[in-house]
Amino acid sequence: MSDQTSSPSDETRQNSALQHAVIVGMQPDQSPRVLEEAARYAKLLKAPLVIAHVDVTRFVTYEDPDGYVHSAPIDLNIEAGLAEFEQVQAAAASALKGSGLEWTARQLVGDPALAIKQLANKLDAQLIVVGTRKRGLGESIREFFTGSVAARLAHRQHRSVLVVPLEEAVPDDQAEIWTE
């Protein structure tokens, strides 16, 4: 289920039904382990699961007093963010089919850590679940400029953040973590 085209009053109603949720940050083609762990904790905590995809190609222009966020694209190709959100929704629907878990998907915009923090505040979330970043030079450069989403969440809000490894662990005797 998606809240992508909700009106301000719809969003307020949906937010009240999702209070104390577990929020999981998802990207297309992300390791399924992240969603599995989030679903496991949502079941343990008897909480709804909110799957958050952040469209980094859009930015917040202003926010209404009731919390409804208005955004604008950085790039004129806004289809990319929508396609990614649809991929995330399809992956979640497939993975959670038959789980009996109450879940919804939200597309957020802007900086991932700030957008997830704001959603967590609106829902008074119990837990935020994110994955580690992929290895590689491109991801290293991105993290250099923007910082780790997990680290920024852990330092800029009061909720617990569960960080799920995406890949095989780096051996202890390997000096460099990102060798590409």
Side-chain angles (χ1 to χ4, degrees):
M1 156 168 130
S2 164
D3 300 323
Q4 181 188 8
T5 58
S6 61
S7 69
S9 61
D10 289 342
E11 185 176 352
T12 302
R13 188 172 50 258
Q14 291 165 353
N15 286 351
S16 66
L18 296 170
Q19 289 297 295
H20 310 296
V22 170
I23 297 174
V24 58
M26 282 190 63
Q27 301 172 21
D29 303 320
Q30 181 173 288
S31 168
R33 291 186 60 210
V34 180
L35 182 56
E36 290 166 5
E37 285 297 309
R40 185 167 74 89
Y41 277 91
K43 284 181 181 178
L44 288 170
L45 296 169
K46 295 178 177 52
L49 179 64
V50 176
I51 296 157
H53 170 263
V54 183
D55 183 354
V56 296
T57 67
R58 297 182 67 81
F59 64 96
V60 175
T61 54
Y62 65 96
E63 185 174 345
D64 288 339
D66 65 357
Y68 188 74
V69 175
H70 299 266
S71 66
I74 293 171
D75 187 355
L76 293 179
N77 180 13
I78 63 172
E79 298 302 316
L82 181 58
E84 283 189 357
F85 184 57
E86 289 171 354
Q87 280 182 282
V88 166
Q89 286 180 294
S94 175
L96 297 172
K97 185 177 180 180
S99 69
L101 190 60
E102 177 189 341
W103 68 277
T104 189
R106 292 272 177 102
Q107 182 161 35
L108 309 175
V109 297
D111 176 89
L114 294 176
I116 292 171
K117 173 189 171 187
Q118 183 178 28
L119 179 61
N121 287 339
K122 285 180 183 178
L123 302 180
D124 192 20
Q126 293 187 65
L127 176 68
I128 299 171
V129 181
V130 294
T132 57
R133 70 176 177 82
K134 297 176 184 174
R135 294 183 201 158
L137 181 61
E139 287 298 313
S140 296
I141 292 170
R142 183 200 58 78
E143 187 173 277
F144 175 79
F145 286 107
T146 63
S148 162
V149 172
R152 290 173 54 221
L153 281 168
H155 291 285
R156 297 183 188 267
Q157 50 85 47
H158 68 277
R159 288 168 187 80
S160 296
V161 178
L162 174 64
V163 182
V164 180
L166 295 182
E167 301 177 15
E168 292 297 317
V170 175
D172 290 337
D173 61 347
Q174 181 178 324
E176 292 292 320
I177 295 176
W178 297 281
T179 57
E180 292 93 33

